[in-house]
Amino acid sequence: MPTPATGEPPLRAVRPPRQATGLRQRLAELRGPATVPHPMDARALAALAANPGCRRRALLDGAGVDKGALARALGAPANFGQSQFAHQRGNSFEARVKADGGADLVRLLHERLRDGSEPPGPGEVATPDLSAPGPQGRTARTALALREATEAGRWALLDHPMVSLDVAGSPAFLEPDAVVVHPDGSWTIVEIKSFPMVDGSADPAKVGAAARQSAVYTLALERVASMIGEPPEGGAGTADSEAPADSAAPAAPTDPTAPADPTAPTPPAASADPEASAGPATLADPAAPADPEAPADPAASMAPAALAAPTPLAGPAASTESADSTDPAASTDSADSARSARAPVRARVRHQVLLVCPKDFSNLPTAEMVDVRKQLAVTRRQLDRLTRIEEIAAALPEGTTFDLRLTDDGRTPTRPVEELTAAVDAVRAAYAPECLSTCELAAHCRAQARAAGRVEALGRGVRGELGGLTTVDAVLRAALGGPAGEAAPTGDPAVDALRRAAALRAEALASRPGAVACR
């Protein structure tokens, strides 16, 4: 627009020069310029939080690399996953649970809460539309819908909302099955699974995996709740703040007749990496893109404004008041007085999630409340231990990329296996046998660990007991290197224990001359 004085266009603010390679551009180079980023779900994020010392997985997940396709190209495909039949059965069961606007789902939640509140009547459960362009737009639309439902003070069901969580400096967009907003302003996460629940109990391993997955959703929703309203006095931003976050109580249903959930993570798994240090988690703005210089989705700009300004709500009470009032000024003053007299919004996330499963191998839904406080504390601590993605990418050799160079059909990789192997090996991994059920690259990492003779291949417990002995050869030298019968301590507890074990083994073999020694 021309200035009034000179008629010339005004000078534009000069933007500071960008760095040679921004994070967003660097991640695009790592996965391949023509490769669509692979989304990170809560299951993958929970697996990453269980092994925070693995830089390889953190970088590949942050860059959006398809680890399954990469493992197949390396010749070490993953041997786990969900079958197509199980996937279809899960979708069919979820559609049945959410039928009729989620009325049965909210009824199940109210029955399991047993808090004495009034159950929702027919048509009292709102189901806001969450459609928006792009993940940033859906994240902003979800935050707006949560604010509106919380301020309205009524039941609401958000079907497949989208939230964002900062993971090692890069945003991960997550999609829970459902979130229920209570009239008191609290939110409950709903996790729908297709494994059966027989007599009020299910497979402990599967329940534990669902609890860890729900803890990731809880972390993301807590950030949204902190932007909407202040928690109660003495609370921690959650509805169940009366219990400590690091409580040692295992996740268990609220029904006293139901068995407790013994699947909470154990302390060794939470401290698998001895070189990492724990600390409080720091979450970024869910709607903020990873690179502040890169253009964001236009719909993402609605989030701050939507959360900063009050949103006018329409409802039966508002329409009745408008119809009875004849003076527009009086109606406006009355609405302003009602808003000022209303208590401040108390948005908070409950620490008990609703786990919905088929009942006794049927297609009828049943549910139990699962406490995720312990999983939440572990996940928060482990995510904070992750090394930031830009630091990992900066340490890579120039030109490193995981691009498969697929053919036009998008299925056949053309890049040599040697180049892919060198690119993957340039990032340090922290392999453990548990990775075989959670990571697509576990078979490749296991082969590397075995070839190098690293003790990680024997398990995290063995690795922790051996201390500074990191290879199998070093362990054998420590156990067999001393003189026969030497019992003097060396000062290293691991070496002393190995030599005592070697002496006992030699004594047992000597008592049986015909026994063959293992090598």
Side-chain angles (χ1 to χ4, degrees):
M1 178 177 210
T3 57
T6 62
E8 298 179 355
L11 295 177
R12 294 183 178 180
V14 179
R15 299 180 62 182
R18 295 188 56 183
Q19 297 180 355
T21 304
L23 177 60
R24 187 184 297 271
Q25 180 181 351
R26 179 57 174 151
L27 296 182
E29 293 174 354
L30 289 175
R31 66 174 175 266
T35 305
V36 179
H38 191 72
M40 182 191 300
D41 56 6
R43 184 180 290 106
L45 191 54
L48 177 61
N51 191 9
C54 185
R55 295 191 170 197
R56 181 175 297 173
R57 174 155 194 168
L59 180 63
L60 293 176
D61 285 344
V65 177
D66 188 351
K67 299 192 300 295
L70 181 59
R72 290 190 295 270
L74 291 172
N79 55 358
F80 71 93
Q82 192 178 36
S83 65
Q84 183 178 2
F85 174 77
H87 187 69
Q88 293 176 353
R89 183 175 183 271
N91 291 339
S92 175
F93 177 69
E94 182 176 346
R96 180 186 182 93
V97 171
K98 295 179 179 178
D100 299 329
D104 292 340
L105 179 60
V106 178
R107 177 185 56 81
L108 277 174
L109 174 60
H110 182 268
E111 290 177 356
R112 296 301 183 270
L113 285 177
R114 301 182 180 92
D115 56 356
S117 61
E118 291 293 330
E124 292 185 3
V125 180
T127 55
D129 182 17
L130 303 179
S131 59
Q136 290 89 354
R138 290 188 58 193
T139 302
R141 184 65 188 90
T142 297
L144 181 60
L146 286 171
R147 177 193 176 100
E148 292 176 344
T150 303
E151 289 184 344
R154 57 177 299 184
W155 290 96
L157 174 66
L158 277 66
D159 185 10
H160 283 288
M162 180 159 284
V163 291
S164 176
L165 183 65
D166 182 81
V167 182
S170 179
F173 296 97
L174 311 172
E175 189 176 4
D177 291 333
V179 174
V180 176
V181 180
H182 299 251
D184 62 354
S186 60
W187 306 343
T188 296
I189 298 171
V190 180
E191 191 66 18
I192 303 175
K193 296 297 183 181
S194 59
F195 56 82
M197 187 178 294
V198 182
D199 295 334
S201 62
D203 185 356
K206 295 180 179 180
V207 174
R212 291 188 293 270
Q213 185 175 344
S214 300
V216 176
Y217 298 138
T218 304
L219 280 177
L221 281 171
E222 281 182 348
R223 174 60 179 171
V224 183
S226 66
M227 295 188 298
I228 290 179
E230 295 296 332
E233 293 183 3
T238 57
D240 307 291
S241 57
E242 65 273 5
D246 55 353
S247 172
T254 56
D255 190 350
T257 62
D261 178 20
T263 59
T266 58
S271 58
D273 190 359
E275 299 178 359
S277 58
T282 303
L283 303 181
D285 189 347
D291 186 2
E293 297 293 339
D297 195 316
S301 60
M302 65 185 289
L307 297 178
T311 305
L313 303 174
S319 59
T320 305
E321 182 183 359
S322 177
D324 294 341
S325 177
T326 56
D327 188 358
S331 176
T332 303
D333 295 341
S334 177
D336 293 340
S337 301
R339 279 194 295 267
S340 61
R342 186 168 51 191
V345 178
R346 300 292 188 183
R348 55 203 184 276
V349 187
R350 291 176 178 259
H351 279 164
Q352 286 188 325
V353 302
L354 183 71
L355 178 62
V356 183
C357 299
K359 181 179 181 181
D360 299 334
F361 302 100
S362 68
N363 205 29
L364 299 176
T366 185
E368 287 295 342
M369 303 299 296
V370 179
D371 194 335
V372 298
R373 283 176 294 180
K374 189 169 185 178
Q375 291 85 348
L376 180 63
V378 172
T379 303
R380 181 186 287 113
R381 183 173 64 251
Q382 299 293 68
L383 288 180
D384 186 64
R385 295 170 60 187
L386 291 174
T387 306
R388 297 188 67 85
I389 293 178
E390 56 265 26
E391 298 178 12
I392 304 175
L396 295 178
E398 188 67 25
T400 301
T401 178
F402 307 104
D403 188 7
L404 302 180
R405 299 173 189 166
L406 300 176
T407 56
D408 294 338
D409 60 358
R411 299 179 181 178
T412 307
T414 62
R415 191 174 178 194
V417 179
E418 295 77 10
E419 293 185 9
L420 278 178
T421 304
V424 173
D425 295 349
V427 191
R428 181 175 63 85
Y431 171 75
E434 293 83 356
C435 298
L436 292 172
S437 60
T438 58
C439 182
E440 293 84 348
L441 285 175
H444 175 76
C445 297
R446 179 181 60 179
Q448 281 188 322
R450 287 178 174 178
R454 293 195 293 267
V455 296
E456 287 88 343
L458 303 177
R460 290 173 176 167
V462 176
R463 173 193 173 186
E465 292 290 339
L466 293 177
L469 302 175
T470 59
T471 63
V472 176
D473 291 339
V475 172
L476 294 177
R477 287 194 302 268
L480 306 176
E486 180 182 359
T490 63
D492 190 335
V495 175
D496 294 341
L498 287 171
R499 291 187 177 179
R500 285 195 300 270
L504 291 174
R505 178 176 176 272
E507 181 181 351
L509 292 176
S511 64
R512 299 185 60 185
V516 180
C518 299
R519 296 292 180 187

